[in-house]
Amino acid sequence: MHDGALPAGSAPPGTVIRMATLLIEQSTAEAAPIPHMRLSRQEHERLRRARGRQRALTAYLFLLPNAVFFTAFLIIPIIFLFYLTFHNGGIITPAKFVGLDNWRRAWSDDLVRTTIRNTVYYCLLAIPSVFVIGMILALCLQRIPRGSGPFRSLFYLPTLTPYVTAALIWLFIVQRDFGALNVTLGLFGIPPQNWLGSTSLVMPSIAMLEVWRGVGFWTLLFLAALLALPPELYQAATIDGASAWQQFRHITLPLMRPTFFFAVVMATIWNLQLFDSVSILTDGGPSNASATVVWYIYKAMFQFNDKTGFAAALSFVLLLFILVLTLIEIRLLRKPA
Amino acid sequence: MAIETEFAELRPPADITRATAARRKGPSLYLIAIYGILVIAAFIALVPFLYVISTSFKDTISLFQYPPEWIPSEPTLDNFRGLLADYPFVRWMLNSFVVASAVTIVKVVIDSMAGYAFAKMTFPGKDALFLVVLMTLMVPFAATLIPLFIIVRDLNLTNTYAGLILPALASPIGIFMMRQFIETLPTDLENAARLDGCSEFQIFRRVILPLIRPGLVVLGVFTFMTQWTSYLWPLVIGTKTEMFTLTVGVQSLRSLFTVNWGILSAGAVLSMLPLVLVFLFLQRYFIAGSIAGALKE
């Protein structure tokens, strides 16, 4: 057939194939890189690096505004704080070097120990309660067929309240004579308690405020995590006859680990800085039973006589304490045991 | 974008509710108990608000009645009138509004820029810089209070808006959030824009920003809320009454005189009102703001 298509007496078929190959080669050669795009290895490398530099420069420009603010208002202050711990004065009088004096004072100060103890006590009261209640409410919200939206909004309402306002509202609630809490307890025949005036009740009262204000936040966090869990696992577990408790224990809890990890880390960082509600409700009283670390920093700096260096040392203790605790939490919680 | 999917997820998966319904027939005891718990919790969440709202409408006599009235028999606006007449309450609210808005606008802009750089660009030192951002998440604000105060005072910025605003701009959480949002965007989009000859800044303006609008609102709402409720910094930096923010002002209602419960409750109600109103309109963004980042950890 092909032979027939060829002009008679032309070159034998082998030549045609060779010519065709040549033609193909030529045409591909024509489609090859346009001369100016043919780069030598070095040129290529140079351009690539120039482009990389330009991109890096752009990236740094994008980071610049934040870098400026971070340097000025976070990194320099931390270095400055360290410097301040070795000095005294500074608010009214110029600072002078005092060596390790402030550290020694912070170490031997009884009130420092009290404030650390109070702060840790508060965290141990508030964080587990708020997590357990938040988790229970999240599990409830997950299980109801309708009405979850309004409940979510209602639970979130206290979180919207500024701490200051929440603390003022709490003043009304725990007020001894006409406060809602004592009135309610009175209905059950429990005598009125002096919630903020008793050394043993004051920290639980403040922790209660935190639970009231914070529980909505954690509920929604946990709910979002619960709803993101793969339903197949539960279906499989149900088929295998696992009880609700077993499913919770062996599916929900392990899968929620990353969320708990985040929650524990953030909650410790926040709660160790307890100040707002203490400053409004009790100002550290009665007899320092609600004095917290940040409260003491504030007092030492702004209300006692210019104890800047001491307050700085205390701030540094807080910084290290939170840093170390967070790193421990990360170690313990990051990977399944 | 990411937010909408998160919110689709916030509805309970049909499987679970169906499983719940299937396990027990009809409106079971189980569901009633669950609703019971939720109603009690909602009641506890709400009662303090109702209490303080009701108090704000009471006159001095019914304030101390025992047992207290839930709905004042003779509601009065005297407390609100007294508050607005005797205190620069409107000024405090304005201060809070100026500070919170300024911080919000600046943070949304610069954090989305930084988030874009961390999510999509390659440059030397990227990992180290991001580690710095993560580390600063652990730095308690209270620890830098004293050096910050001295710096801001030496810059002569006490009792100024700049003094209230600037330190709040050094907060890492927004960078982190924006990086998470932008990371979820497909790289093809930027590459297409790049082939069309867009500069990196144009890509950011025209491609990235429109796509992460929900994320921007989340960050904005979150930042505004944090600033509106912030207390410690405004307390130390604003010493003149007219430079108080709302939280500091409301708190001063209590310490200036012996407690005037009526005025105090009126102040508490008014200080919550703006955020609650914003919440009603932007609800989903508030909630998303509090869960953003956590889910993707």
Side-chain angles (χ1 to χ4, degrees):
Chain A
M1 248 196 95
H2 284 284
D3 281 351
L6 288 166
S10 69
T15 330
V16 177
I17 293 172
R18 222 176 307 132
M19 277 173 65
T21 332
L22 214 81
L23 263 172
I24 292 168
E25 267 171 11
Q26 256 177 10
S27 66
T28 37
E30 268 161 23
I34 314 155
H36 74 264
M37 282 191 61
R38 222 185 264 135
L39 298 171
S40 74
R41 235 226 185 108
Q42 289 88 339
E43 280 175 319
H44 192 80
E45 188 60 19
R46 191 179 53 80
L47 279 178
R48 210 177 59 82
R49 236 182 277 140
R51 178 89 188 105
R53 261 201 306 278
Q54 199 200 331
R55 280 201 181 181
L57 196 70
T58 323
Y60 292 138
L61 277 178
F62 271 78
L63 293 174
L64 185 68
N66 257 307
V68 170
F69 294 128
F70 267 72
T71 313
F73 299 108
L74 198 67
I75 294 168
I76 291 180
I78 290 175
I79 300 168
F80 189 33
L81 175 70
F82 191 62
Y83 165 89
L84 282 172
T85 59
F86 302 106
H87 292 75
N88 237 343
I91 287 269
I92 307 157
T93 54
K96 64 172 191 291
F97 185 76
V98 292
L100 287 173
D101 233 31
N102 292 317
W103 288 98
R104 242 177 263 129
R105 268 163 69 202
W107 182 254
S108 57
D109 190 314
D110 281 339
L111 190 48
V112 170
R113 284 175 208 190
T114 312
T115 57
I116 293 177
R117 206 171 38 236
N118 287 343
T119 312
V120 172
Y121 176 50
Y122 160 80
C123 285
L124 292 176
L125 286 173
I127 299 176
S129 340
V130 90
F131 280 6
V132 169
I133 299 174
M135 191 65 198
I136 292 174
L137 292 179
L139 286 167
C140 288
L141 284 175
Q142 185 198 15
R143 273 159 181 74
I144 57 172
R146 63 187 65 221
S148 159
F151 278 121
R152 283 203 301 254
S153 303
L154 282 177
F155 293 165
Y156 201 72
L157 221 49
T159 303
L160 289 175
T161 326
Y163 264 110
V164 171
T165 312
L168 291 179
I169 294 177
W170 215 238
L171 272 182
F172 287 79
I173 302 299
V174 298
Q175 211 278 342
R176 199 194 160 111
D177 303 314
F178 61 89
L181 192 57
N182 277 342
V183 172
T184 316
L185 289 178
L187 299 179
F188 299 98
I190 300 167
Q193 306 290 320
N194 193 357
W195 293 101
L196 296 175
S198 122
T199 47
S200 57
L201 282 178
V202 66
M203 266 315 184
S205 304
I206 292 172
M208 250 166 19
L209 165 61
E210 167 56 29
V211 172
W212 175 72
R213 189 180 176 272
V215 82
F217 175 86
W218 299 112
T219 303
L220 292 177
L221 180 80
F222 293 150
L223 177 66
L226 279 177
L227 294 178
L229 299 180
E232 304 87 54
L233 284 177
Y234 292 92
Q235 289 156 0
T238 314
I239 293 168
D240 289 347
S243 70
W245 169 249
Q246 281 171 325
Q247 290 186 14
F248 177 72
R249 174 74 191 71
H250 296 290
I251 303 175
T252 312
L253 283 185
L255 285 179
M256 294 272 289
R257 197 185 185 88
T259 311
F260 289 141
F261 165 67
F262 169 84
V264 169
V265 170
M266 293 319 283
T268 352
I269 297 177
W270 291 337
N271 283 297
L272 285 174
Q273 298 184 65
L274 177 69
F275 171 76
D276 297 7
S277 41
V278 167
S279 107
I280 282 155
L281 290 176
T282 61
D283 201 23
S287 47
N288 295 328
S290 63
T292 64
V293 178
V294 177
W295 171 87
Y296 197 21
I297 294 174
Y298 174 79
K299 283 277 159 182
M301 177 75 181
F302 298 101
Q303 299 200 344
F304 302 158
N305 264 335
D306 199 10
K307 286 168 76 173
T308 314
F310 176 74
L314 199 52
S315 305
F316 214 81
V317 170
L318 178 73
L319 184 72
L320 290 180
F321 192 65
I322 289 185
L323 221 61
V324 169
L325 202 63
T326 311
L327 292 176
I328 293 175
E329 283 170 353
I330 289 174
R331 257 208 107 87
L332 287 179
L333 289 162
R334 191 91 198 238
K335 302 229 163 61
Chain B
M1 217 171 137
I3 283 305
E4 266 130 40
T5 46
E6 257 162 37
F7 268 82
E9 286 165 3
L10 271 182
R11 245 163 275 128
D15 300 329
I16 288 189
T17 40
R18 219 181 300 132
T20 318
R23 225 181 303 146
R24 352 256 142 179
K25 287 137 212 142
S28 61
L29 219 60
Y30 173 75
L31 264 186
I32 293 171
I34 284 180
Y35 276 112
I37 296 174
L38 290 173
V39 168
I40 292 171
F43 183 74
I44 294 173
L46 210 55
V47 156
F49 288 113
L50 300 179
Y51 195 75
V52 91
I53 291 170
S54 120
T55 310
S56 70
F57 290 105
K58 281 180 190 169
D59 55 37
T60 358
I61 302 151
S62 55
L63 213 64
F64 298 102
Q65 253 174 33
Y66 192 92
E69 292 177 319
W70 278 95
I71 295 164
S73 46
E74 282 164 58
T76 161
L77 284 173
D78 281 356
N79 295 320
F80 292 94
R81 259 186 230 117
L83 177 70
L84 296 178
D86 301 343
Y87 303 90
F89 194 83
V90 178
R91 175 66 196 249
W92 296 340
M93 219 168 210
L94 183 78
N95 289 345
S96 274
F97 188 76
V98 168
V99 172
S101 313
V103 174
T104 304
I105 291 166
V106 176
K107 270 322 248 179
V108 166
V109 172
I110 69 177
D111 283 0
S112 52
M113 284 168 66
Y116 177 51
F118 278 125
K120 297 287 187 184
M121 294 181 182
T122 44
F123 52 91
K126 179 177 170 177
D127 292 341
L129 282 176
F130 194 67
L131 191 70
V132 171
V133 175
L134 283 183
M135 290 286 285
T136 52
L137 270 175
M138 289 182 239
V139 175
F141 174 77
T144 55
L145 177 73
I146 286 164
L148 261 183
F149 173 77
I150 296 176
I151 291 171
V152 169
R153 188 201 55 183
D154 290 350
L155 292 171
N156 281 325
L157 292 177
T158 35
N159 286 313
T160 63
Y161 285 123
L164 287 165
I165 292 165
L166 286 172
L169 299 177
S171 129
I173 192 114
I175 302 178
F176 192 69
M177 273 167 71
M178 287 299 105
R179 173 180 168 269
Q180 306 282 73
F181 271 115
I182 296 172
E183 249 179 0
T184 60
L185 301 178
T187 316
D188 302 353
L189 290 169
E190 303 144 51
N191 286 340
R194 213 162 274 139
L195 284 178
D196 287 346
C198 282
S199 70
E200 288 298 317
F201 188 74
Q202 283 170 323
I203 296 175
F204 175 69
R205 263 290 331 260
R206 307 248 171 90
V207 181
I208 305 290
L209 281 190
L211 284 174
I212 56 161
R213 203 173 295 142
L216 297 178
V217 181
V218 168
L219 175 60
V221 163
F222 177 79
T223 312
F224 193 88
M225 191 167 104
T226 318
Q227 287 308 311
W228 189 266
T229 58
S230 148
Y231 174 64
L232 183 53
W233 182 247
L235 178 70
V236 302
I237 217 65
T239 47
K240 288 188 189 144
T241 323
E242 70 265 22
M243 281 315 286
F244 283 179
T245 59
L246 197 61
T247 46
V248 182
V250 166
Q251 166 272 147
S252 76
L253 294 180
R254 169 165 179 258
S255 39
L256 279 180
F257 300 88
T258 52
V259 185
N260 181 335
W261 295 96
I263 298 266
L264 199 59
S265 57
V269 169
L270 288 183
S271 72
M272 295 181 314
L273 206 59
L275 218 50
V276 171
L277 286 180
V278 178
F279 175 70
L280 290 181
F281 289 106
L282 296 173
Q283 242 185 69
R284 56 202 212 102
Y285 294 106
F286 271 85
I287 295 165
S290 42
I291 62 180
L295 274 184
K296 291 160 195 145
E297 265 295 280

